[in-house]
Amino acid sequence: MKLHEKNVEAMLVRACNKKGFKCPKTEMIARGFPDRMVFNTERGEIYYVEFKNETNYKRSNLQESWGTRIKVAGGKYFLLNGEEETRKFIQNYIL
């Protein structure tokens, strides 16, 4: 059974909390802005993370625009499609 987007997002939040990393929800910044920012204080990096579930992978135009802006500015933007990609992200960037 595939997890809902909010459950996949919760996986990342739990992993960040265990490491002591801040992982705020960013819904109040601007429409289309990535779902979460992850402050990896061990690496001195900030990740901008957009979640999509495996059945609805389409990003809005605003989401695509923010992803492009973040990357052009040198930011680390991640589009995570479901549970497996989120697990890989946690393994590679959080643990």
Side-chain angles (χ1 to χ4, degrees):
M1 181 175 154
K2 295 179 182 178
L3 295 177
H4 291 282
E5 188 175 317
K6 69 178 181 178
N7 298 103
V8 174
E9 190 172 342
M11 289 171 47
L12 176 63
V13 172
R14 283 191 301 275
C16 288
N17 287 340
K18 283 182 183 178
K19 293 290 282 190
F21 299 160
K22 297 293 183 192
C23 183
K25 188 132 178 90
T26 59
E27 62 193 354
M28 299 306 288
I29 292 177
R31 285 194 65 204
F33 198 79
D35 296 313
R36 295 272 176 178
M37 290 173 65
V38 176
F39 294 84
N40 184 326
T41 52
E42 290 178 0
R43 296 184 185 185
E45 297 178 332
I46 300 171
Y47 312 128
Y48 301 85
V49 182
E50 179 67 40
F51 292 95
K52 291 295 174 192
N53 64 38
E54 296 164 350
T55 57
N56 182 19
Y57 195 63
K58 177 86 170 100
R59 290 184 297 165
S60 70
N61 290 337
L62 283 172
Q63 288 172 326
E64 289 180 12
S65 177
W66 274 112
T68 300
R69 286 182 204 161
I70 290 166
K71 289 188 272 186
V72 167
K76 297 181 183 286
Y77 173 81
F78 297 88
L79 174 62
L80 302 180
N81 179 23
E83 182 179 1
E84 185 61 32
E85 287 186 12
T86 301
R87 287 188 192 283
K88 287 179 185 175
F89 175 83
I90 291 168
Q91 186 65 40
N92 293 329
Y93 295 95
I94 306 302
L95 301 180

